[in-house]
Amino acid sequence: MTEIALDRTDYKIIKALEHNGRASNALIAEQVNLSQSQCLRRIKRLEESGIIRGYRAQIDYEKMGYTVVAWTLVTISKDVPEARDNVTRYLQEQEQAVSVFGVTGDVDLMVEIRAKDMAAFSDFVVKGIYAHEQVVSTKSYIRLDTAKLNGGIIT
């Protein structure tokens, strides 16, 4: 993977877009002290290089009734050659599994889960993940509160 050289202005553009992905080019150009054409060229370069991968809405899942956020650590059978791929594929198909990460350590996957309530969360973990024939164990951590979310660009 080739690293792209970024200057201070690129970082300002990224930060402005992180703050408001719907901001117009004119507004961003004004915020970072560039002409609109220069700003647009830089944004296009950031998009084409893959640094900016896309734009999306941030959803407040709690307002939609998904009050439980948890992370479940999953240990997968070492006896089945394709077990990790099979369990990963299963989790990718589940709506409740918001994010699935392969991790190092004594577990294989870390799954971010959103559920309407504890009963729905428990049902998904016990009857879904843990019941998968290639899952050896699970361990879950329930979110109590959020101190920081989407911290932004690291410069």
Side-chain angles (χ1 to χ4, degrees):
M1 179 172 18
T2 306
E3 190 172 313
I4 308 299
L6 302 175
D7 63 18
R8 205 176 316 163
T9 303
D10 292 322
Y11 280 101
K12 287 179 183 178
I13 291 170
I14 293 167
K15 190 171 188 112
L17 287 169
E18 276 185 328
H19 179 71
N20 181 2
R22 294 182 70 174
S24 68
N25 181 59
L27 178 61
I28 295 170
E30 183 180 320
Q31 290 174 346
V32 302
N33 200 26
L34 283 178
S35 71
Q36 289 184 32
S37 61
Q38 288 176 321
C39 185
L40 187 58
R41 270 195 300 277
R42 284 179 178 253
I43 290 172
K44 292 284 184 211
R45 182 177 63 90
L46 292 168
E47 291 170 347
E48 289 167 1
S49 69
I51 290 174
I52 296 175
R53 296 187 308 198
Y55 302 88
R56 64 183 194 164
Q58 289 186 337
I59 309 301
D60 186 332
Y61 287 97
E62 283 190 53
K63 289 185 178 176
M64 294 175 59
Y66 294 91
T67 59
V68 176
V69 179
W71 294 268
T72 297
L73 305 179
V74 180
T75 304
I76 299 168
S77 172
K78 307 294 185 244
D79 300 332
V80 179
E82 301 295 320
R84 187 175 188 278
D85 291 339
N86 295 337
V87 174
T88 300
R89 204 170 13 263
Y90 166 76
L91 290 167
Q92 288 171 333
E93 296 168 356
Q94 306 307 306
E95 287 182 357
Q96 304 93 319
V98 177
S99 300
V100 180
F101 302 97
V103 295
T104 62
D106 9 342
V107 300
D108 300 295
L109 300 173
M110 184 171 72
V111 184
E112 180 182 354
I113 298 169
R114 295 200 183 259
K116 292 256 184 196
D117 53 34
M118 283 303 295
F121 167 75
S122 178
D123 194 52
F124 176 60
V125 172
V126 174
K127 295 179 182 173
I129 300 173
Y130 190 69
H132 191 287
E133 62 188 13
Q134 295 163 356
V135 170
V136 173
S137 67
T138 62
K139 185 175 188 176
S140 295
Y141 297 87
I142 310 296
R143 182 199 62 184
L144 298 176
D145 56 23
T146 302
K148 184 175 182 178
L149 182 64
N150 299 329
I153 189 170
I154 301 168
T155 56

